[in-house]
Amino acid sequence: MDFFNVSISNIDGELQFYSNGVGVNNYLHQLMENGDGMSGFPGSTGEDGGYAMVQGGVVVPWPGLSNEYILLQNKGGFFPDHDDHRWKVTELLYSRIDMNASLGEGEILNKRLSLLQDTVNWGKSTLVRHANGRDWWYLENKLNDNVFYRMLISPTGPQVIGEQTIGIPIYQGTGQAVFSPDGTKYAILNTVSDDVGGVLNIYHFDRCSGLLSSQVHIPVDNDSGSGGIAFSPDSHYLYLSANWYIYQFDLGASDIAQSKDTVAIYDLNVDWLPTTFFAPQLAPDGRIYV
C-alpha cells in the first residue's frame, strides 16, 4: 500500500517537520504539540504506515510569516456502498503550524480547518509559487470532471478563488500531478486501471491568474498501471514512469505525444518484492529519483 508523506526544511536545508497524514513529527522525530489525529477519517489509515494516499497533502511556508507553515491535506476514505470509485476524497483541509512555538519544537495552532468541500481527484496534491514571488497556487481537479478549483495561498491564508472548466474530463486513477520548475506547465497522470491504461494531461499554466490553457491529452499504454511523472530541471522534458518503462516527452515538440521516447527499461529482479518504477521526484540537485 502507498502512503501519504510530506516534509519541509528551512532555507538552510534543516528539517522542520514531517507527516504521514496521521500525525506530525518535528525535527526531533517527536510528535509535535497538537500533532495527532490529523487524518480524521476512521478506516483510512492503512495499518501503521500512515494515511493511505499518495500525494495526499503538501506543506508550504505561510507567506509573510517567519517559521510558520500551512499543511494542506485531502480528507478521504473507502466508501463500500459506492460502486463508482469507492475511494473518494470528500474535503480539503488545512492546518497552521508554528515552528516558533513550544521552545522551537513546533505546535499546530489551528488543525484541520475546512478549505473545500467537494469530491475531488484522489491525491495529486502539488503547488507552485505565484508570479509575485510571495504567494502560492494550489489546484484540485473535481472528481471525474474537467473542472479545476483554484486556491490562492497568501498572507491571509488559503482561500478558494474560483473554478475553471477546461478541455476533456479527467477520470480518477493512480498517478501524480506536478508543476514544472519554471511554473509555466502543469501535468497530471491518471492510470484508471491496468486494462484500460491511463491518460496524461499537460497544460500551460499562468502564474499570475492561476489559469490553465492548451490541454494536451495523451493516452498512455496499459503498462502504466502504477506510475508517475516529473519535469526536467529546465522544464523542457516530461518523464513518465510506467511499471517497466520510463518515457520522455519533448514539451517543445509540435506533437508532444509523438515525441515519446523510451529512456529506461526495468531490469531488476521482481521475485518476492516487485519494486518496479513508480513515483519520480525532481530533487534540488537536478536529478530525478524514482
Side-chain angles (χ1 to χ4, degrees), residues 181-195:
D182 65 5
T184 64
K185 302 176 184 70
Y186 173 78
I188 182 169
L189 171 70
N190 286 271
T191 55
V192 180
S193 71
D194 288 339
D195 295 330

Side-chain angles (χ1 to χ4, degrees), residues 181-182 231-237 239 282-283 285-288:
D182 65 5
F231 284 95
S232 62
D234 63 1
S235 305
H236 188 80
Y237 296 100
Y239 294 91
L282 176 62
D285 64 3
R287 297 176 179 178
I288 295 174

Side-chain angles (χ1 to χ4, degrees), residues 2-7 18-21 49 51 53-58:
D2 306 304
F3 295 106
F4 178 114
N5 62 85
V6 298
S7 63
Y18 57 94
S19 175
N20 63 359
Y51 195 41
M53 186 186 296
V54 176
Q55 261 192 311
V58 68

Side-chain angles (χ1 to χ4, degrees), residues 13 17 62 138 201 260 281:
F17 60 88
W62 192 298
Y138 181 93
N201 287 280
K260 178 182 175 182
Q281 184 72 45

Side-chain angles (χ1 to χ4, degrees), residues 53-74:
M53 186 186 296
V54 176
Q55 261 192 311
V58 68
V59 62
V60 64
W62 192 298
L65 296 179
S66 177
N67 296 325
E68 293 198 26
Y69 300 87
I70 297 171
L71 172 62
L72 292 150
Q73 60 185 112
N74 285 313

